[in-house]
Amino acid sequence: MPKRKMVQNNLLKNSISAYFAAIEIHNKPNFSYRYETVTLLIMNAWELILKCFVKKYIKSKSIYKKDGHTISIDKAIDYTDEYINKQEPKAFIEIKENLCLIEEYRNNIVHYYNEQLEPYIFMLTAKAALNYVDFLKKYFSKDIMANEGLFILPLGFKLPFKPEDFLTKRAANYISSKESKEFISSMVKVITDLNDEGIEDTIVVGFDIYLENVKRMKNSDLLIAITSQDAADANFAKINKVQLSDDPNAQKIKLSDDEIVKLYPFTYSDICKKCRADIPNFKQGKKFNEIMSSLKENNTYAYTRRLNPKKAKTTKTTLYAASIIDEIKQRYET
C-alpha cells in the first residue's frame, strides 16, 4: 500500500477509535472527569478526521510542518473550511464554530472548575458527535451509525433537554465566574451570528422524550426561545412548531383555538379560491373532490373541529393547512 494511502487509513481508523472512546466515556455512570475527557477525545477524533480530509482532498496542502510534526487542529479546520466553502458556501461554518467553542473549553478548562457547565458542554459535544457521523458519511462514505449500531451521546443525559433552558441571561446568573459567563455569552453570540448570516444549522442540540427525536433546531427558533425566556415581562410568545399525529406514542400537547387556526388557517372555500388562482385549468369537479376527500383524513393537511367531541352526531368544521395547496397542485400535475 502506498505511504500516502496508509497514512490516510491510519488517520481514519484512529479518528473513529477516538470517537467511540468519547461516546463510551460520556455514557459511563458516576464518571467524575466526564467532560474534561470527552472534549479531549471528541476533539482528537475531529483533528484526525480533518487531517485525513486534507490528505484525501486537498492536494495543494500538507498535513506536515517543516519540523516533521503534523499541523494543528486550527490549521486543519481552516484548510477544510476554505476547501468546502469553494464547493458549498457556508457548508462547514456551523461545524467550525462548534469545534472552536469546544476547543475554547478544552484549552481553558481550569477556569471552569466548580461551575455547573455540563449542560453547555453536553449541547456542544452532542452536536459535534452528530456532525462527525454526517461528515464521515459524506466525505468518506462510511456510516458508523449503521455499521456499528452506535448509540449517541444523549443516553447518559437526563431527558428531555432544551438548550434554551440554559442559554438565557437568567440561567447564566447562576454561574459565578467571569470566564464561564463569557463562555456562555460566546455560545449565544455564535448562534446569533450564524442566524444573521442565514445559516439555519446551529451549534447545539437538545433531545425530546424519545431518543430518535433529535431536536435539530434552527438558529432563529433557538433565539426566539432564548429571548422569550429572558424577557419574562415582555409580550413575547414562545413558539413551538408542532405537527398533529395519530401515533399513540407521540408527545401529548394541548392547542388553543388560536393555535389551531394558526396551523390550519384556510376554510374549504379558501382552498377552492386558491386552487382556481394557482392551478391552470382547475375544475372543482370529481378529481378535486377525490383529492380533498383523501387529504381530509391526513392531519398534516386538515383538522376537523367538532362542536361537541363527546357526541357522534354533532356539527363539524374542517380547517386546512397552507401546505395542502402544494399537495393538491402536485396531484393535479401527476
Side-chain angles (χ1 to χ4, degrees):
M1 180 184 294
K3 182 179 178 181
R4 181 185 182 90
K5 192 71 174 177
M6 184 171 65
V7 170
Q8 186 177 307
N9 286 343
N10 285 336
L11 286 169
L12 183 62
K13 180 181 70 175
N14 291 337
S15 173
I16 294 172
S17 295
Y19 180 81
F20 277 112
I23 303 299
E24 184 177 353
I25 291 297
H26 184 279
N27 291 340
K28 281 184 177 295
N30 303 320
F31 192 84
S32 59
Y33 207 62
R34 188 184 312 278
Y35 283 105
E36 292 86 343
T37 307
V38 168
T39 52
L40 287 170
L41 289 169
I42 204 72
M43 290 301 289
N44 184 230
W46 268 106
E47 181 174 354
L48 294 173
I49 200 65
L50 292 176
K51 288 176 181 178
C52 187
F53 180 90
V54 173
K55 194 80 174 171
K56 179 178 180 179
Y57 289 97
I58 313 176
K59 309 302 181 185
S60 61
K61 303 291 185 182
S62 174
I63 64 170
Y64 297 104
K65 298 184 290 186
K66 291 182 180 180
D67 61 5
H69 293 94
T70 58
I71 58 177
S72 66
I73 185 172
D74 294 328
K75 186 66 72 174
I77 288 173
D78 288 341
Y79 285 166
T80 304
D81 184 44
E82 181 182 358
Y83 179 86
I84 292 178
N85 190 54
K86 290 179 181 178
Q87 319 297 320
E88 303 174 72
K90 300 182 179 180
F92 189 74
I93 188 170
E94 172 266 318
I95 297 176
K96 176 181 178 179
E97 296 293 351
N98 169 270
L99 294 176
C100 287
L101 281 168
I102 296 175
E103 185 183 23
E104 180 182 340
Y105 174 83
R106 182 194 66 178
N107 293 344
N108 297 284
I109 226 163
V110 68
H111 296 298
Y112 304 128
Y113 284 133
N114 301 319
E115 297 284 13
Q116 297 298 317
L117 290 183
E118 286 89 350
Y120 302 94
I121 309 307
F122 168 79
M123 286 188 258
L124 293 169
T125 52
K127 188 59 188 291
L130 292 169
N131 285 341
Y132 182 92
V133 172
D134 292 339
F135 188 87
L136 196 64
K137 188 186 300 183
K138 182 173 183 179
Y139 294 105
F140 297 92
S141 302
K142 191 170 183 63
D143 187 353
I144 56 175
M145 291 286 280
N147 297 339
E148 307 294 342
L150 178 65
F151 288 95
I152 215 69
L153 283 171
L155 286 178
F157 205 85
K158 185 178 179 181
L159 301 176
F161 177 80
K162 296 189 293 183
E164 60 268 29
D165 288 342
F166 297 93
L167 292 173
T168 65
K169 293 177 182 177
R170 287 186 297 160
N173 287 335
Y174 294 99
I175 301 298
S176 59
S177 76
K178 175 186 174 184
E179 291 84 3
S180 296
K181 288 180 183 290
E182 289 176 348
F183 181 73
I184 297 167
S185 295
S186 296
M187 291 177 65
V188 177
K189 185 178 185 304
V190 168
I191 293 168
T192 303
D193 290 344
L194 290 175
N195 184 66
D196 291 344
E197 291 188 48
I199 297 171
E200 293 185 346
D201 283 337
T202 190
I203 57 170
V204 297
V205 289
F207 294 88
D208 284 331
I209 290 295
Y210 304 105
L211 291 179
E212 60 267 29
N213 294 334
V214 178
K215 293 186 70 175
R216 293 180 181 270
M217 301 182 75
K218 296 178 183 178
N219 285 309
S220 55
D221 294 334
L222 187 52
L223 287 171
I224 288 173
I226 292 170
T227 308
S228 66
Q229 292 198 33
D230 278 337
D233 297 327
N235 293 322
F236 219 117
K238 180 182 174 186
I239 301 170
N240 288 317
K241 293 184 177 180
V242 300
Q243 180 172 312
L244 299 189
S245 171
D246 295 326
D247 184 355
N249 294 319
Q251 184 176 359
K252 301 293 189 298
I253 62 170
K254 185 175 181 179
L255 298 177
S256 67
D257 287 345
D258 288 342
E259 289 169 330
I260 291 173
V261 172
K262 286 179 182 178
L263 289 171
Y264 302 93
F266 299 131
T267 65
Y268 181 86
S269 178
D270 294 330
I271 297 300
C272 293
K273 289 178 182 177
K274 286 185 172 292
C275 287
R276 281 193 286 270
D278 295 349
I279 302 176
N281 303 318
F282 171 78
K283 291 183 179 180
Q284 193 176 331
K286 181 180 178 182
K287 183 174 183 179
F288 174 73
N289 292 334
E290 289 175 349
I291 293 173
M292 288 296 288
S293 178
S294 171
L295 297 180
K296 190 175 180 180
E297 304 302 318
N298 190 329
N299 283 333
T300 301
Y301 304 112
Y303 175 77
T304 300
R305 301 177 66 180
R306 300 167 63 88
L307 185 61
N308 187 343
K310 296 181 179 181
K311 290 186 177 181
K313 294 183 179 180
T314 185
T315 303
K316 296 185 292 185
T317 300
T318 302
L319 300 174
Y320 300 90
S323 58
I324 196 172
I325 303 298
D326 290 333
E327 182 64 22
I328 294 171
K329 188 184 300 184
Q330 183 178 343
R331 296 197 183 192
Y332 258 86
E333 291 172 354
T334 56

